[in-house]
Amino acid sequence: MPSESCNVVVLLSGSGSNLQALIDSTRAAPGPARICAVIANRADAYGLQRAQAAGIPTAVLEHPGFEGREAFDAALAELIDGFSPDLVVLAGFMRILSAGFVRHYQGRLLNIHPSLLPKYKGLHTHRRALEAGDAEHGCSVHFVTEELDGGPLVVQAVLPVEPDDTVESLAQRVHHHEHQIYPLAVRWFAEGRLRLGAEGALLDAQPLPACGHLIRS
Ligand code: GRF
């Protein structure tokens, strides 16, 4: 359990705007969370440059050369564990993780997903929400379990879908909300307020509702 400081390792594959939000939040309001490493599975992930600009150590582990998902995930876990993480944060890490990897980090692995889970697991969430004619859309932070995009919810940001929304405009607004709720969830965890209990996520020792803590705009 993190006490005075909480070592956070961030995994990403792309732009890393959520990483940037985490960096900015830990700077604007210092707390126990300390991003001690950023690991990418692609050498060209722009998030690596964001980390370097912030003075955070980076590492790259690419899957060619590994025989299968388990072998890659074992090497990834070894790399992560070298940074003694209290929390591992998936921030646009575009790989399906093996069951063994997920179990190893049970209760200390968070993900952000651009939909109001359990709706729209997987890809193309904004398009699917528009095609379904949903009145509301949003994003979710959840503990990671073996079910893809299926673990206990921590916090969701809910926003209205506007009549003239396109996939791009909706994605942009959802992204903006991701940048609010991920730092919040990481801060809760680092402060020891957020835990994964046997029945689901707990905040301040109280069970969160199935949808997590809801933030509406
Ligand atoms: C976000 O939309 C997040 O919800 C999803 O991957 C995307 C990462 O975006 N898991 P960025 O790289 O943080 O900008």
Side-chain angles (χ1 to χ4, degrees):
M1 148 130 27
S3 52
E4 295 194 343
S5 80
C6 172
N7 285 345
V8 180
V9 171
V10 178
L11 306 189
L12 51 75
S13 304
S15 151
S17 70
N18 277 286
L19 166 69
Q20 191 65 56
L22 291 169
I23 293 170
D24 294 347
S25 138
T26 51
R27 284 187 175 162
R34 184 180 147 267
I35 304 173
C36 54
V38 171
I39 299 174
N41 65 327
R42 301 174 54 115
D44 62 354
Y46 181 64
L48 291 168
Q49 293 185 42
R50 295 183 192 267
Q52 284 152 11
I56 299 168
T58 60
V60 176
L61 190 70
E62 294 183 297
H63 67 270
F66 287 95
E67 281 201 15
R69 193 176 298 286
E70 274 73 20
F72 177 84
D73 283 4
L76 181 60
E78 198 179 331
L79 182 59
I80 294 169
D81 288 348
F83 295 99
S84 306
D86 298 298
L87 176 65
V88 177
V89 167
L90 304 176
F93 189 62
M94 300 303 285
R95 278 189 66 86
I96 293 175
L97 298 164
S98 60
F101 182 95
V102 171
R103 274 198 300 271
H104 180 68
Y105 294 107
Q106 173 149 9
R108 51 190 181 123
L109 184 57
L110 290 175
N111 183 42
I112 190 156
H113 184 76
S115 78
L116 296 175
L117 290 171
K119 273 189 159 182
Y120 312 131
K121 299 175 179 182
L123 299 174
H124 310 301
T125 56
H126 312 302
R127 178 168 58 71
R128 290 156 71 196
L130 282 177
E131 283 174 1
D134 290 356
E136 292 183 326
H137 185 44
C139 45
S140 311
V141 175
H142 64 96
F143 281 104
V144 177
T145 60
E146 289 174 43
E147 187 193 345
L148 179 69
D149 298 329
L153 289 161
V154 173
V155 51
Q156 291 191 318
V158 184
L159 49 123
V161 177
E162 305 294 348
D164 57 352
D165 258 326
T166 61
V167 170
E168 292 72 27
S169 66
L170 195 52
Q172 194 177 14
R173 287 213 315 291
V174 170
H175 231 140
H176 173 75
H177 286 78
E178 290 183 26
H179 301 160
Q180 318 297 315
I181 64 171
Y182 220 179
L184 177 66
V186 168
R187 182 170 298 272
W188 283 343
F189 188 94
E191 290 174 348
R193 298 179 58 193
L194 174 66
R195 288 287 164 265
L196 180 62
E199 306 292 327
L202 304 170
L203 183 63
D204 297 328
Q206 299 300 313
L208 279 162
C211 59
H213 177 84
L214 274 192
I215 298 178
R216 292 189 167 274
S217 56

